[in-house]
Amino acid sequence: MAPRVDPVRSDEALPARVDVVIIGGGIIGTSAALFLAQKGVSTLLCEKGHIAGEQSSRNWGWCRKMGRDPRELPLIIESLRLWQGMNAMVEAETGFRQCGIMYLAENAGELEGFEAWLEHARQYQLDSRILTQGEAAELMPGLTGPWIGALYTASDGKAEPQMAAPSIAEAARHHGAAILTRCAVRGVETAGGRVAAAVTERGRVACNAVVLAGGAWSRLFCGNLGIELPQLKVRASVMRTEPLQGGPEISASGGLFGFRKRMDGGYTVATLGVRTIDLVPDHFRLLFDYLPAVRLHWKKLRFRVGGRWLEEWQMPRRWALDTTSPFEAVRVLDPEPDSYVIDRAKTAVAQAFPLFRNMMEAERWAGMIDVMPDAIPVISPAESLPGLYIATGFSGHGFGIGPGAGKLVADMVTGDPTLVDPTPFRLSRFTDGSNPRPHPLAS
């Protein structure tokens, strides 16, 4: 079952020309549309399904600096600043609140990892700090279990995934952007070696630039352009509870659980401990790119072979722009949740917080996370095709960093000074000998 997302109406007319076409109506694409429209840039956002239909509405809803790869810290700091003013900026509710986030430690090794991350984070003057067992229990009434301490960041926050991107999309429209749903972009046309138009299922739109914010679909889109994007998909399963009185206000994770209190009084519950990997042909095509990540996270990965292998094997990897694209065949990726993963999370959170033994499950769902070999996104021009910009591969960190990423790519497109140095996010890092790897201290 897919979570219910706030609806966003589609504009009717397909413009003949705009400055920028954005592909994808998730948190990244809608944020980019808002910041471009605020700059006075004529912008069209095309979404093959509905706004926030995939992972942007299916994630935990955390907006965190804590535990980030050091390469992401400057961007998430800026993104949290944007989140703090987001409700006022869009004149609507995104659900953002500063609630604090806590990572609980079961053993000395985990605590040492938190302390090592703090050493990297200190240069940014974050308010993250190590807590003793007693301090953690004081902030988290009802906490039980073998926790020896925690890492805590009071300034971290949360937002509502089913509200945020829709509210941002409507604000982008208010500033002049066109929003078209059920309108897949099949590809791009070029002239003089650069982007000249986006070709949609409803017709051609002349433009100067295209921003690809297609989430789990981005590798397929790039492949049809002859651009190698080493991105894979990972299934993440989540549940929400009915309203639960007296539970923690702080978002937290530890062992096999993670949770966030929702605006409706219920909780989003998932696990940080297990990721489900549905093996598909791309896993073998990209095996050597991902070996370092597999070795680092081996115990957290749950591999299986099922129907997705055949689905992706049969999916065309190349297509003409005057024929139906794969993006029209599957409007919304809606995978089945992994009950094994969710049930473990339910058991673990009830052991840590006995109050959760009374929780009533309302629904469960799954989404496909777009991952990169080093777990760092690509926010970058495509050097082989001037006028194409890619913003994808957020590796499960995209919701919180989304406004900052949208602002960064908007700055790139317009040639304005960027809010942070974009070098760590360049696509060329996978081919220039940088040998990008996941940071062992980040999550």
PDB file of all heavy atoms in Angstrom, residues 408-432:
ATOM      1  N   LEU A 408      21.216  24.170  -4.726  1.00  0.00           N
ATOM      2  CA  LEU A 408      22.524  24.006  -5.345  1.00  0.00           C
ATOM      3  C   LEU A 408      22.404  23.813  -6.848  1.00  0.00           C
ATOM      4  O   LEU A 408      23.117  24.465  -7.631  1.00  0.00           O
ATOM      5  CB  LEU A 408      23.258  22.817  -4.711  1.00  0.00           C
ATOM      6  CG  LEU A 408      24.629  22.464  -5.301  1.00  0.00           C
ATOM      7  CD1 LEU A 408      25.582  23.645  -5.232  1.00  0.00           C
ATOM      8  CD2 LEU A 408      25.226  21.249  -4.579  1.00  0.00           C
ATOM      9  N   VAL A 409      21.494  22.944  -7.284  1.00  0.00           N
ATOM     10  CA  VAL A 409      21.387  22.708  -8.724  1.00  0.00           C
ATOM     11  C   VAL A 409      20.784  23.919  -9.421  1.00  0.00           C
ATOM     12  O   VAL A 409      21.173  24.246 -10.559  1.00  0.00           O
ATOM     13  CB  VAL A 409      20.590  21.407  -9.003  1.00  0.00           C
ATOM     14  CG1 VAL A 409      19.095  21.588  -8.824  1.00  0.00           C
ATOM     15  CG2 VAL A 409      20.883  20.889 -10.404  1.00  0.00           C
ATOM     16  N   ALA A 410      19.895  24.652  -8.745  1.00  0.00           N
ATOM     17  CA  ALA A 410      19.367  25.887  -9.337  1.00  0.00           C
ATOM     18  C   ALA A 410      20.475  26.907  -9.537  1.00  0.00           C
ATOM     19  O   ALA A 410      20.536  27.594 -10.573  1.00  0.00           O
ATOM     20  CB  ALA A 410      18.264  26.456  -8.447  1.00  0.00           C
ATOM     21  N   ASP A 411      21.367  27.025  -8.565  1.00  0.00           N
ATOM     22  CA  ASP A 411      22.516  27.934  -8.701  1.00  0.00           C
ATOM     23  C   ASP A 411      23.420  27.515  -9.853  1.00  0.00           C
ATOM     24  O   ASP A 411      23.933  28.356 -10.605  1.00  0.00           O
ATOM     25  CB  ASP A 411      23.328  27.965  -7.399  1.00  0.00           C
ATOM     26  CG  ASP A 411      22.601  28.631  -6.250  1.00  0.00           C
ATOM     27  OD1 ASP A 411      21.622  29.355  -6.495  1.00  0.00           O
ATOM     28  OD2 ASP A 411      23.012  28.412  -5.087  1.00  0.00           O
ATOM     29  N   MET A 412      23.630  26.205 -10.004  1.00  0.00           N
ATOM     30  CA  MET A 412      24.470  25.710 -11.099  1.00  0.00           C
ATOM     31  C   MET A 412      23.876  26.080 -12.456  1.00  0.00           C
ATOM     32  O   MET A 412      24.573  26.555 -13.355  1.00  0.00           O
ATOM     33  CB  MET A 412      24.598  24.189 -11.012  1.00  0.00           C
ATOM     34  CG  MET A 412      25.461  23.666  -9.902  1.00  0.00           C
ATOM     35  SD  MET A 412      25.444  21.845  -9.972  1.00  0.00           S
ATOM     36  CE  MET A 412      26.677  21.481  -8.731  1.00  0.00           C
ATOM     37  N   VAL A 413      22.574  25.835 -12.593  1.00  0.00           N
ATOM     38  CA  VAL A 413      21.911  26.073 -13.875  1.00  0.00           C
ATOM     39  C   VAL A 413      22.005  27.538 -14.278  1.00  0.00           C
ATOM     40  O   VAL A 413      22.229  27.866 -15.451  1.00  0.00           O
ATOM     41  CB  VAL A 413      20.442  25.617 -13.801  1.00  0.00           C
ATOM     42  CG1 VAL A 413      19.672  26.065 -15.040  1.00  0.00           C
ATOM     43  CG2 VAL A 413      20.355  24.093 -13.655  1.00  0.00           C
ATOM     44  N   THR A 414      21.836  28.436 -13.316  1.00  0.00           N
ATOM     45  CA  THR A 414      21.830  29.875 -13.624  1.00  0.00           C
ATOM     46  C   THR A 414      23.212  30.499 -13.620  1.00  0.00           C
ATOM     47  O   THR A 414      23.362  31.677 -13.954  1.00  0.00           O
ATOM     48  CB  THR A 414      20.935  30.625 -12.620  1.00  0.00           C
ATOM     49  OG1 THR A 414      21.384  30.358 -11.288  1.00  0.00           O
ATOM     50  CG2 THR A 414      19.488  30.193 -12.767  1.00  0.00           C
ATOM     51  N   GLY A 415      24.230  29.726 -13.221  1.00  0.00           N
ATOM     52  CA  GLY A 415      25.582  30.270 -13.163  1.00  0.00           C
ATOM     53  C   GLY A 415      25.821  31.200 -12.002  1.00  0.00           C
ATOM     54  O   GLY A 415      26.805  31.953 -11.987  1.00  0.00           O
ATOM     55  N   ASP A 416      24.941  31.154 -11.003  1.00  0.00           N
ATOM     56  CA  ASP A 416      25.113  31.981  -9.812  1.00  0.00           C
ATOM     57  C   ASP A 416      26.107  31.326  -8.851  1.00  0.00           C
ATOM     58  O   ASP A 416      26.361  30.122  -8.933  1.00  0.00           O
ATOM     59  CB  ASP A 416      23.772  32.162  -9.093  1.00  0.00           C
ATOM     60  CG  ASP A 416      22.786  32.994  -9.905  1.00  0.00           C
ATOM     61  OD1 ASP A 416      23.250  33.820 -10.711  1.00  0.00           O
ATOM     62  OD2 ASP A 416      21.563  32.794  -9.744  1.00  0.00           O
ATOM     63  N   PRO A 417      26.675  32.095  -7.916  1.00  0.00           N
ATOM     64  CA  PRO A 417      27.536  31.483  -6.902  1.00  0.00           C
ATOM     65  C   PRO A 417      26.751  30.398  -6.155  1.00  0.00           C
ATOM     66  O   PRO A 417      25.601  30.612  -5.756  1.00  0.00           O
ATOM     67  CB  PRO A 417      27.884  32.653  -5.974  1.00  0.00           C
ATOM     68  CG  PRO A 417      27.725  33.873  -6.826  1.00  0.00           C
ATOM     69  CD  PRO A 417      26.589  33.570  -7.758  1.00  0.00           C
ATOM     70  N   THR A 418      27.356  29.237  -5.982  1.00  0.00           N
ATOM     71  CA  THR A 418      26.651  28.127  -5.347  1.00  0.00           C
ATOM     72  C   THR A 418      26.724  28.242  -3.829  1.00  0.00           C
ATOM     73  O   THR A 418      27.708  28.757  -3.280  1.00  0.00           O
ATOM     74  CB  THR A 418      27.250  26.779  -5.778  1.00  0.00           C
ATOM     75  OG1 THR A 418      28.660  26.775  -5.508  1.00  0.00           O
ATOM     76  CG2 THR A 418      27.021  26.538  -7.267  1.00  0.00           C
ATOM     77  N   LEU A 419      25.694  27.744  -3.149  1.00  0.00           N
ATOM     78  CA  LEU A 419      25.636  27.896  -1.699  1.00  0.00           C
ATOM     79  C   LEU A 419      26.701  27.070  -0.989  1.00  0.00           C
ATOM     80  O   LEU A 419      27.067  27.381   0.154  1.00  0.00           O
ATOM     81  CB  LEU A 419      24.245  27.572  -1.169  1.00  0.00           C
ATOM     82  CG  LEU A 419      23.779  26.137  -0.964  1.00  0.00           C
ATOM     83  CD1 LEU A 419      22.456  26.127  -0.203  1.00  0.00           C
ATOM     84  CD2 LEU A 419      23.619  25.403  -2.278  1.00  0.00           C
ATOM     85  N   VAL A 420      27.221  26.007  -1.628  1.00  0.00           N
ATOM     86  CA  VAL A 420      28.370  25.252  -1.110  1.00  0.00           C
ATOM     87  C   VAL A 420      29.231  24.836  -2.300  1.00  0.00           C
ATOM     88  O   VAL A 420      28.802  24.909  -3.452  1.00  0.00           O
ATOM     89  CB  VAL A 420      27.945  23.976  -0.324  1.00  0.00           C
ATOM     90  CG1 VAL A 420      27.117  24.336   0.899  1.00  0.00           C
ATOM     91  CG2 VAL A 420      27.200  22.991  -1.221  1.00  0.00           C
ATOM     92  N   ASP A 421      30.430  24.383  -2.017  1.00  0.00           N
ATOM     93  CA  ASP A 421      31.314  23.857  -3.057  1.00  0.00           C
ATOM     94  C   ASP A 421      30.718  22.560  -3.601  1.00  0.00           C
ATOM     95  O   ASP A 421      30.546  21.592  -2.857  1.00  0.00           O
ATOM     96  CB  ASP A 421      32.701  23.601  -2.454  1.00  0.00           C
ATOM     97  CG  ASP A 421      33.669  23.012  -3.462  1.00  0.00           C
ATOM     98  OD1 ASP A 421      33.329  22.918  -4.663  1.00  0.00           O
ATOM     99  OD2 ASP A 421      34.788  22.624  -3.044  1.00  0.00           O
ATOM    100  N   PRO A 422      30.396  22.491  -4.894  1.00  0.00           N
ATOM    101  CA  PRO A 422      29.776  21.285  -5.438  1.00  0.00           C
ATOM    102  C   PRO A 422      30.750  20.172  -5.801  1.00  0.00           C
ATOM    103  O   PRO A 422      30.316  19.091  -6.229  1.00  0.00           O
ATOM    104  CB  PRO A 422      29.076  21.808  -6.697  1.00  0.00           C
ATOM    105  CG  PRO A 422      29.940  22.939  -7.157  1.00  0.00           C
ATOM    106  CD  PRO A 422      30.499  23.565  -5.904  1.00  0.00           C
ATOM    107  N   THR A 423      32.040  20.399  -5.630  1.00  0.00           N
ATOM    108  CA  THR A 423      33.045  19.437  -6.091  1.00  0.00           C
ATOM    109  C   THR A 423      32.811  18.008  -5.593  1.00  0.00           C
ATOM    110  O   THR A 423      32.943  17.053  -6.372  1.00  0.00           O
ATOM    111  CB  THR A 423      34.458  19.904  -5.691  1.00  0.00           C
ATOM    112  OG1 THR A 423      34.682  21.199  -6.235  1.00  0.00           O
ATOM    113  CG2 THR A 423      35.522  18.944  -6.198  1.00  0.00           C
ATOM    114  N   PRO A 424      32.477  17.781  -4.301  1.00  0.00           N
ATOM    115  CA  PRO A 424      32.297  16.392  -3.858  1.00  0.00           C
ATOM    116  C   PRO A 424      31.181  15.646  -4.575  1.00  0.00           C
ATOM    117  O   PRO A 424      31.163  14.405  -4.562  1.00  0.00           O
ATOM    118  CB  PRO A 424      31.967  16.541  -2.369  1.00  0.00           C
ATOM    119  CG  PRO A 424      32.492  17.879  -1.978  1.00  0.00           C
ATOM    120  CD  PRO A 424      32.330  18.725  -3.191  1.00  0.00           C
ATOM    121  N   PHE A 425      30.272  16.383  -5.231  1.00  0.00           N
ATOM    122  CA  PHE A 425      29.104  15.755  -5.829  1.00  0.00           C
ATOM    123  C   PHE A 425      29.215  15.611  -7.347  1.00  0.00           C
ATOM    124  O   PHE A 425      28.251  15.237  -8.011  1.00  0.00           O
ATOM    125  CB  PHE A 425      27.850  16.580  -5.487  1.00  0.00           C
ATOM    126  CG  PHE A 425      27.732  16.908  -4.027  1.00  0.00           C
ATOM    127  CD1 PHE A 425      27.762  18.227  -3.599  1.00  0.00           C
ATOM    128  CD2 PHE A 425      27.627  15.911  -3.076  1.00  0.00           C
ATOM    129  CE1 PHE A 425      27.662  18.543  -2.246  1.00  0.00           C
ATOM    130  CE2 PHE A 425      27.542  16.207  -1.729  1.00  0.00           C
ATOM    131  CZ  PHE A 425      27.562  17.522  -1.309  1.00  0.00           C
ATOM    132  N   ARG A 426      30.408  15.879  -7.899  1.00  0.00           N
ATOM    133  CA  ARG A 426      30.566  15.841  -9.349  1.00  0.00           C
ATOM    134  C   ARG A 426      30.408  14.409  -9.881  1.00  0.00           C
ATOM    135  O   ARG A 426      30.870  13.442  -9.259  1.00  0.00           O
ATOM    136  CB  ARG A 426      31.937  16.394  -9.742  1.00  0.00           C
ATOM    137  CG  ARG A 426      33.105  15.521  -9.322  1.00  0.00           C
ATOM    138  CD  ARG A 426      34.419  16.266  -9.355  1.00  0.00           C
ATOM    139  NE  ARG A 426      35.544  15.360  -9.072  1.00  0.00           N
ATOM    140  CZ  ARG A 426      35.856  14.926  -7.849  1.00  0.00           C
ATOM    141  NH1 ARG A 426      35.143  15.309  -6.806  1.00  0.00           N
ATOM    142  NH2 ARG A 426      36.888  14.109  -7.676  1.00  0.00           N
ATOM    143  N   LEU A 427      29.785  14.276 -11.030  1.00  0.00           N
ATOM    144  CA  LEU A 427      29.627  12.965 -11.664  1.00  0.00           C
ATOM    145  C   LEU A 427      30.971  12.390 -12.068  1.00  0.00           C
ATOM    146  O   LEU A 427      31.193  11.166 -11.997  1.00  0.00           O
ATOM    147  CB  LEU A 427      28.718  13.107 -12.896  1.00  0.00           C
ATOM    148  CG  LEU A 427      28.532  11.848 -13.752  1.00  0.00           C
ATOM    149  CD1 LEU A 427      27.900  10.716 -12.944  1.00  0.00           C
ATOM    150  CD2 LEU A 427      27.689  12.167 -14.980  1.00  0.00           C
ATOM    151  N   SER A 428      31.910  13.234 -12.445  1.00  0.00           N
ATOM    152  CA  SER A 428      33.199  12.762 -12.954  1.00  0.00           C
ATOM    153  C   SER A 428      34.045  12.064 -11.892  1.00  0.00           C
ATOM    154  O   SER A 428      35.079  11.480 -12.220  1.00  0.00           O
ATOM    155  CB  SER A 428      33.988  13.934 -13.552  1.00  0.00           C
ATOM    156  OG  SER A 428      34.288  14.902 -12.561  1.00  0.00           O
ATOM    157  N   ARG A 429      33.640  12.111 -10.626  1.00  0.00           N
ATOM    158  CA  ARG A 429      34.455  11.434  -9.601  1.00  0.00           C
ATOM    159  C   ARG A 429      34.532   9.930  -9.830  1.00  0.00           C
ATOM    160  O   ARG A 429      35.444   9.268  -9.319  1.00  0.00           O
ATOM    161  CB  ARG A 429      33.914  11.740  -8.199  1.00  0.00           C
ATOM    162  CG  ARG A 429      32.580  11.079  -7.843  1.00  0.00           C
ATOM    163  CD  ARG A 429      32.096  11.576  -6.478  1.00  0.00           C
ATOM    164  NE  ARG A 429      30.942  10.874  -5.940  1.00  0.00           N
ATOM    165  CZ  ARG A 429      29.685  11.249  -6.100  1.00  0.00           C
ATOM    166  NH1 ARG A 429      29.407  12.341  -6.814  1.00  0.00           N
ATOM    167  NH2 ARG A 429      28.691  10.554  -5.565  1.00  0.00           N
ATOM    168  N   PHE A 430      33.595   9.393 -10.591  1.00  0.00           N
ATOM    169  CA  PHE A 430      33.595   7.954 -10.845  1.00  0.00           C
ATOM    170  C   PHE A 430      34.497   7.566 -12.008  1.00  0.00           C
ATOM    171  O   PHE A 430      34.701   6.380 -12.264  1.00  0.00           O
ATOM    172  CB  PHE A 430      32.169   7.462 -11.106  1.00  0.00           C
ATOM    173  CG  PHE A 430      31.256   7.662  -9.929  1.00  0.00           C
ATOM    174  CD1 PHE A 430      30.307   8.665  -9.930  1.00  0.00           C
ATOM    175  CD2 PHE A 430      31.372   6.858  -8.806  1.00  0.00           C
ATOM    176  CE1 PHE A 430      29.476   8.867  -8.833  1.00  0.00           C
ATOM    177  CE2 PHE A 430      30.555   7.055  -7.706  1.00  0.00           C
ATOM    178  CZ  PHE A 430      29.611   8.058  -7.723  1.00  0.00           C
ATOM    179  N   THR A 431      35.028   8.557 -12.717  1.00  0.00           N
ATOM    180  CA  THR A 431      35.885   8.259 -13.872  1.00  0.00           C
ATOM    181  C   THR A 431      37.216   8.986 -13.843  1.00  0.00           C
ATOM    182  O   THR A 431      38.047   8.762 -14.722  1.00  0.00           O
ATOM    183  CB  THR A 431      35.152   8.636 -15.181  1.00  0.00           C
ATOM    184  OG1 THR A 431      34.736  10.000 -15.129  1.00  0.00           O
ATOM    185  CG2 THR A 431      33.933   7.737 -15.390  1.00  0.00           C
ATOM    186  N   ASP A 432      37.434   9.867 -12.833  1.00  0.00           N
ATOM    187  CA  ASP A 432      38.664  10.661 -12.838  1.00  0.00           C
ATOM    188  C   ASP A 432      39.749  10.102 -11.922  1.00  0.00           C
ATOM    189  O   ASP A 432      40.728  10.791 -11.613  1.00  0.00           O
ATOM    190  CB  ASP A 432      38.372  12.125 -12.468  1.00  0.00           C
ATOM    191  CG  ASP A 432      37.827  12.286 -11.051  1.00  0.00           C
ATOM    192  OD1 ASP A 432      37.821  11.298 -10.275  1.00  0.00           O
ATOM    193  OD2 ASP A 432      37.402  13.413 -10.707  1.00  0.00           O
TER     194      ASP A 432
END
